[in-house]
Amino acid sequence: MEQGWRQAKGMFWAMLTAPLFWLVVFFFVPLGIVWLYSFGENRGLIDIVFTGTWSNYAHIFDLTQPYLDIFVKSLWIATLTTFFCLVLGFPVALAITFAPPKAKAWLLLLVMLPFWTNLLIRTYALMAFLRTEGYINTTYHVLFDMANAVAGGHLGTFQPMELMNTNFAVVLGLVFVNLPFMILPLYSTLDRMDRSLLEASLDLGAGHISTLFNIVVPMAGAGIVSGILITFIPALGSYLTPDMLGGPDSQMIANVIESQFKRANNWPFGAALSFILVYMTFIGIAIQGLLERKDAGRSA
């Protein structure tokens, strides 16, 4: 029996070697190099010297520079995105949970279907709706002309809605992209909840709304926290959506990082900006772990 365990342990390490090597060489090592860059300085056009300086991080929090404001704006946009994803995703996850088994499979397929399409294609599809000659303005133009004809031309000249290159377009695009990341963790938690508690609540005279907020939402706490974390972090670090849908005033921190690496050629400062996002990710994961541990202790 002991020999069998040793053989199994050897097989385990043999299977782990290749993915561990890949992870270290192609993830941790490049990430460590970028982390070292964040403590370096530019010397010439292409030379970066590791000096151990904290000036790149101090430059981020310099109130005379716009970077802290861009961070705050990025946090606000990511928070709005997460909030709207939660408000829209919770009813969808709840509906999938209580759907018939055959319909549940199709509904989950519809939620995961966007992942089968490239993000760039999905963003272009959204642009087709939001641009000045897009579907929304075209429909609005038709309705305006009909109303103007009824009013005898007193409504004036049609003015298309400015939807592109706005913060609204950025938030809408981020919700469009990240909504499945909220629905799936919520569904995973709601599908495992004890439904007898719902029946007991309704039998004792509580209404459906009261049961939803007093029974369902607390039981879905772990899924809500996971969904918020999984949605907030990609939204905060999003680059493509604000770049294509937003204007000059709608740029987020990832767009600034791109400009530091590609245009300004200031890799140390770009690395420091990047690792601020990494540090915030670690903090978010730590908070999630503490909340789950606290919830597990309360359940015990």
Side-chain angles (χ1 to χ4, degrees):
M1 192 72 179
E2 184 178 352
Q3 183 66 24
W5 162 245
R6 289 178 179 175
Q7 292 176 354
K9 189 164 61 171
M11 179 65 69
F12 169 77
W13 285 109
M15 295 179 63
L16 184 64
T17 301
L20 187 62
F21 173 81
W22 181 276
L23 189 66
V24 170
V25 172
F26 295 103
F27 180 75
F28 286 114
V29 171
L31 195 67
I33 293 173
V34 175
W35 181 72
L36 289 176
Y37 279 171
S38 70
F39 298 98
E41 294 179 356
N42 275 341
R43 298 287 173 85
L45 292 177
I46 59 175
D47 292 333
I48 300 174
V49 179
F50 173 72
T51 60
T53 179
W54 288 85
S55 60
N56 295 309
Y57 291 98
H59 190 51
I60 298 173
F61 298 98
D62 186 352
L63 296 180
T64 62
Q65 301 295 325
Y67 304 111
L68 190 59
D69 292 337
I70 295 175
F71 254 114
V72 172
K73 183 176 67 177
S74 300
L75 287 169
W76 173 241
I77 291 177
T79 301
L80 278 178
T81 300
T82 305
F83 172 76
F84 286 124
C85 284
L86 180 60
V87 171
L88 295 173
F90 195 91
V92 174
L94 199 61
I96 297 175
T97 300
F98 289 99
K102 292 183 179 179
K104 185 181 297 186
W106 286 103
L107 291 172
L108 285 173
L109 179 63
L110 288 176
V111 171
M112 293 184 289
L113 195 61
F115 293 124
W116 298 359
T117 307
N118 186 273
L119 175 59
L120 182 63
I121 303 301
R122 283 182 280 161
T123 306
Y124 273 119
L126 191 59
M127 290 173 64
F129 281 88
L130 297 178
R131 62 184 181 178
T132 305
E133 301 83 11
Y135 299 128
I136 294 178
N137 272 312
T138 300
T139 304
Y140 175 47
H141 195 177
V142 172
L143 296 176
F144 180 87
D145 288 344
M146 294 172 59
N148 201 20
V150 173
H154 295 294
L155 297 181
T157 306
F158 170 75
Q159 296 293 333
M161 294 182 289
E162 296 294 335
L163 301 176
M164 283 289 296
N165 302 323
T166 61
N167 289 330
F168 166 79
V170 173
V171 174
L172 179 64
L174 290 175
V175 171
F176 175 67
V177 169
N178 293 294
L179 186 58
F181 294 118
M182 180 65 74
I183 294 175
L184 294 175
L186 286 173
Y187 164 74
S188 177
T189 303
L190 290 171
D191 194 52
R192 298 195 306 266
M193 67 180 176
D194 188 357
R195 301 191 183 186
S196 63
L197 296 176
L198 308 183
E199 298 173 0
S201 176
L202 295 173
D203 290 341
L204 292 173
H208 288 84
I209 300 298
S210 178
T211 300
L212 175 66
F213 285 101
N214 294 320
I215 304 296
V216 177
V217 172
M219 285 196 297
I224 292 173
V225 173
S226 297
I228 288 174
L229 189 64
I230 295 172
T231 303
F232 181 82
I233 292 174
L236 180 62
S238 179
Y239 164 75
L240 184 65
T241 301
D243 185 63
M244 296 184 65
L245 299 180
D249 296 331
S250 305
Q251 299 300 289
M252 295 176 64
I253 193 61
N255 305 104
V256 179
I257 293 172
E258 183 268 346
S259 67
Q260 293 298 318
F261 275 99
K262 295 182 65 175
R263 302 174 195 171
N265 198 33
N266 191 353
W267 285 35
F269 184 59
L273 287 170
S274 302
F275 264 87
I276 289 292
L277 294 179
V278 175
Y279 302 146
M280 293 179 67
T281 301
F282 288 156
I283 292 172
I285 294 173
I287 292 174
Q288 182 195 21
L290 290 174
L291 291 175
E292 288 181 351
R293 184 180 301 178
K294 184 178 179 180
D295 186 63
R298 187 181 303 169
S299 301

